[in-house]
Structures are given as structure tokens and as C-alpha cells.
Amino acid sequence: MILVTGGAGFIGSNFVLDWLAQCDEPVVNLDKLTYAGNLENLASLQGDARHLFVQGDLGDRALVDRLLAENRPRAVLHFAAESHVDRSIHGPEDFIQTNIVGTFRLLEAVRAHWSALPADEKAAFRFLHVSTDEVYGTLSQEAPAFAETHPYEPNSPYSASKAASDHLVRAWHHTYGLPVLTTNCSNNYGPYHFPEKLIPLMIVNALAGKPLPVYGDGLQVRDWLYVQDHCSAIRRVLEAGRLGETYNVGGWNEKPNIEIVHTVCALLDELRPKADGSSYKAQITHVQDRPGHDRRYAIDARKIERELGWKPAETFDTGIRKTVQWYLAHPEWVQHVQSGSYRDWVSRQYGADA
Ligand code: NAD
Ligand code: DAU
């Protein structure tokens, strides 16, 4: 059995679905269900005994101690975080609490559990920390992509909090010998992506006839990875990663934001043409830039390919088409997220006592 934190969020829920589609090893899923946690993502697992969902905070030491003692997972995969850069600029407190203090408490609970395991279970145990390329800061246009040796230079409250959590994980390995692995991944996209982030926001705003807000000149560059490729990279690192190592994960897909928005519009023009024949591109509006906006991220993913044989399966063309098609096929999911009614899912689905 494995224990996942944040498994009702975008990447975590894709990971849990993918994991249980590929094997029968049960998953304990600890998630606080913040605004970003959505149990509708996991609706297909209802009644599946391999999935045990627990609503709670990863910083709740008594709860985490109990979950570890009762379930004896062979690995903890730590996805839970406050993840949105713009929210971190408006209110950094939750980012410090969950990403730093929460990770610290989780590490301490896991250390206590791991220390007391019999030798064979102790040797097999893993703590996998899911992190981001944003810890490395920003790149000029001509600079080489981020390798694992790149200095940490986080620029936003979000990336600073993730950098701090990476350092804690590293220190718990060096000081206490905790068997950790860290992945630093680029921008994900795909199904169940909360529409506060660029790609899903553009899709749902376009369909609703709303403006498509591009920050500044729209020439900021990100490297985009289809979420299922991130999930396969995490599985591979869990399986064969070297203890204490970090692995950069990316899609070899550097693109300026404005090109992403144009691609989304072109796909919608093809798949859901507007009645008046105009393009969704007409809805693009340039708005004020994000404060401290990182200009470019790029991932050098050669280490994970060389050591673990991992490569992304999707190209951007195939991944973005699947993504747009998924949003077009799931208007109810979008509507529940937009209306906020997804937050009533637990009581609607499982009754008032759930
Ligand atoms: P998300 O915001 O969609 O989901 C986060 C999940 O964590 C939610 O389900 C939320 O309810 C849960 N959570 C938040 N605080 C919690 C707490 N205190 N206790 C328990 N659960 C809590 O995030 P995501 O985009 O799925 O990102 C998952 C992880 O991957 C994060 O650690 C993020 O830093 C990292 N990451 C994300 C991307 C990306 O492009 N989205 C890229 C690289 C790395
Ligand atoms: O690089 C990995 C990171 O990618 C993850 O660690 C974060 O959790 C994840 O949120 C994401 O961060 P970004 O800030 O890169 O993602 P976001 O979708 O918020 O923005 C992508 C780019 O698009 C960024 O340059 C800002 C821009 N943008 C975003 C929004 C929401 C816009 O131009 N307009 C928008 O409305």
C-alpha cells in the first residue's frame, strides 16, 4: 500500500487514477480538500476498496501518525501543496503553512514511523517529494535549461515555499537517513486541471465568451508536460530512483504563453466553432503582468532519461488536443467547479454524515 497526500488535486488525482488503472496496490489518499481538492475527480473509484480517502491536513500529526500505523504504507508520495503562484502573491500565509510547516510535520511523522520499522521494511521504504522547476528561478532566452545542479533562486512566495520544502526533504535524508526522492517538474496540463491555471482558464473562458487574459506581452516561456507523463515519471522514480537524488522532469516543450493561447483557440475553432464563424482569438486581451513574473523556465530532463529510461510519451500536439477534447466532453465537471458546487460532492455523493 502507498500513502498519497493531495490526491484530490490536479496531479494527485491523475496519479491515483493512473496507479489503480495499472496495479492493485491500494492507495491511502490524505487530502484536506481545499478549494483545489475535488473528489469528483475520483468519482470513478467510488466503492473501490483499493482507494481509502481521508479528509485531513498533512500537518495534523496525530492523524498522520494514525494513518501510518494503521496502513503501514511502503511509500509516501507527497503531492499536497498550495500550488497557484498568483494566490501566493495575494496571500502567502497558506503557502508557508502547508508547503513548509506541513511538509516538516509530515517528514517528522514519517521519520518516526520509518525509524521503528523492521529492517527489511525500513530498507524498502520511500518518501517521494513532488516539487517544481520554479525553485530554480528564471532563465534568460539563451541560457541552458535547468539541470538538477542549478542553484535555487525562487522568486515567488509559492516557489520560495516549495524550495524550502525541498531543502527540508534533503536535510531529513542527510541528517536522519530518511530514504527520500525528489522530482522537480515543469508545467503540467491535462484533465482535472483547476481553471485558475493558464490552459484550463483559457479553455473555459473561451467557451463562456469571456476575455482570455494574457499577462503582459505573453512572451513568458514555460515547458509543458502532459500530466500522465508526470505520473509515469513519478512511478519510475519511486521504482528505481537513487536515494537522496533529485530528478528534473520535463516535456522538452518550451513555448511562449501567447502561442499556447493561440493553439487552444485554434483547437476550439476546429472542435467547437463559433456560430458567427469568428475565431476565439478575438477574445484575447493583454492584462497587467504578474508581479515578479519569471520570464522563462526550461527543464533539462536528461538525467531521468539516462538513469531511469524515462521519456514523455505525449508530444504537445497530442497532449493539448486530448486536453481540449476532455474539457469539451466534461461540461458538468467545469460547471461544478465554476459554481463551487463540487465542494458539496462529499455530502451529495456519500450523504450528510460523510
Ligand atoms: P493542486 O493545487 O491542484 O492540488 C493540491 C491538493 O493538495 C489539493 O487536493 C488540496 O486539497 C491538497 N492540499 C492542500 N493543502 C493541504 C494540506 N494542508 N493537507 C492536505 N492536503 C492539502 O496542485 P497540483 O497542481 O496537483 O500540484 C501537486 C504538486 O505538484 C504540488 O506539490 C505542486 O507544487 C507540484 N507541481 C505542480 C505542477 C503543475 O504544473 N501543476 C508542476 C510541478 C510540480
Ligand atoms: O512550472 C511548474 C509550475 O507551473 C507549478 O509548480 C505550479 O504549481 C503551477 O501552477 C505552474 O505555475 P505557473 O505560474 O507557470 O502556471 P500558471 O498556469 O499560473 O501560468 C502559466 C503562465 O501563464 C505564466 O507565465 C503566467 C501566465 N498566465 C497565467 C494565467 C492564470 C497568463 O498569462 N494569464 C493567466 O490568466
Side-chain angles (χ1 to χ4, degrees):
M1 129 119 52
I2 60 168
L3 189 149
V4 162
T5 70
F10 163 47
I11 302 172
S13 61
N14 275 286
F15 182 86
V16 170
L17 292 171
D18 220 45
W19 180 271
L20 292 175
Q22 302 208 21
C23 72
D24 284 331
E25 186 172 6
V27 178
V28 180
N29 183 352
L30 171 64
D31 195 298
K32 188 177 176 180
L33 296 184
T34 67
Y35 79 94
N38 184 351
L39 279 182
E40 284 191 37
N41 301 358
L42 300 163
S44 61
L45 296 177
Q46 207 200 339
D48 189 326
R50 299 172 304 163
H51 180 233
L52 172 65
F53 181 78
V54 180
Q55 182 172 3
D57 194 312
L58 65 97
D60 181 342
R61 181 66 196 268
L63 173 64
V64 177
D65 283 347
R66 182 171 64 74
L67 290 178
L68 290 169
E70 283 178 4
N71 298 291
R72 297 179 73 86
R74 69 171 175 97
V76 172
L77 284 80
H78 179 29
F79 293 87
E82 288 293 336
S83 71
H84 190 36
V85 174
D86 294 323
R87 285 182 191 256
S88 83
I89 295 167
H90 292 292
E93 176 85 30
D94 287 347
F95 290 73
I96 306 304
Q97 281 309 326
T98 285
N99 300 0
I100 306 179
V101 179
T103 299
F104 156 71
R105 294 212 177 121
L106 180 67
L107 281 167
E108 279 295 81
V110 170
R111 180 166 75 92
H113 170 74
W114 167 78
S115 302
L117 289 175
D120 54 338
E121 285 182 49
K122 200 173 173 185
F125 190 85
R126 296 289 181 270
F127 180 91
L128 191 151
H129 177 56
V130 180
S131 193
T132 169
D133 60 358
E134 301 204 10
V135 298
Y136 298 123
T138 188
L139 290 169
S140 62
Q141 279 320 110
E142 58 290 338
F146 299 129
E148 288 79 358
T149 49
H150 195 92
Y152 271 41
E153 290 174 341
N155 289 321
S156 72
Y158 163 69
S159 55
S161 69
K162 290 296 290 187
S165 68
D166 290 11
H167 291 321
L168 292 174
V169 170
R170 176 190 160 87
W172 260 241
H173 175 67
H174 279 265
T175 303
Y176 305 113
L178 193 70
V180 308
L181 300 154
T182 297
T183 54
N184 292 89
C185 187
S186 61
N187 286 60
N188 286 213
Y189 66 100
Y192 306 115
H193 205 181
F194 197 82
E196 63 182 354
K197 309 279 169 67
L198 180 72
I199 289 178
L201 182 78
M202 293 299 153
I203 299 171
V204 304
N205 275 16
L207 293 171
K210 292 184 181 166
L212 307 181
V214 171
Y215 296 163
D217 60 11
L219 297 178
Q220 305 84 2
V221 172
R222 298 290 182 266
D223 166 62
W224 293 93
L225 181 71
Y226 192 62
V227 64
Q228 280 170 11
D229 278 326
H230 189 188
C231 296
S232 73
I234 290 169
R235 277 201 311 275
R236 185 67 191 133
V237 171
L238 178 66
E239 187 177 59
R242 285 189 291 129
L243 292 187
E245 290 292 316
T246 65
Y247 293 91
N248 283 356
V249 183
W252 303 104
N253 268 315
E254 275 188 68
K255 297 203 185 291
N257 294 337
I258 192 70
E259 191 181 321
I260 297 288
V261 178
H262 281 165
T263 303
V264 166
C265 289
L267 280 165
L268 288 172
D269 287 341
E270 175 197 328
L271 299 168
R272 184 66 58 84
K274 289 214 242 185
D276 65 4
S278 67
S279 169
Y280 289 97
K281 283 183 192 160
Q283 290 166 232
I284 294 173
T285 19
H286 287 263
V287 299
Q288 196 179 359
D289 209 348
R290 173 186 279 174
H293 200 168
D294 285 337
R295 197 68 183 162
R296 175 176 167 240
Y297 303 143
I299 278 280
D300 177 346
R302 282 178 298 178
K303 176 177 171 182
I304 188 171
E305 181 173 351
R306 189 176 62 244
E307 289 192 12
L308 305 180
W310 176 88
K311 275 198 290 195
E314 277 323 315
T315 64
F316 188 70
D317 286 350
T318 57
I320 192 69
R321 180 173 285 273
K322 281 187 187 176
T323 303
V324 171
Q325 283 170 333
W326 186 88
Y327 279 87
L328 289 173
H330 293 84
E332 278 198 359
W333 184 92
V334 172
Q335 198 262 321
H336 291 164
V337 168
Q338 286 180 321
S339 70
S341 70
Y342 72 102
R343 304 199 74 172
D344 306 331
W345 169 259
V346 181
S347 49
R348 259 194 293 132
Q349 191 71 5
Y350 304 100
D353 300 335

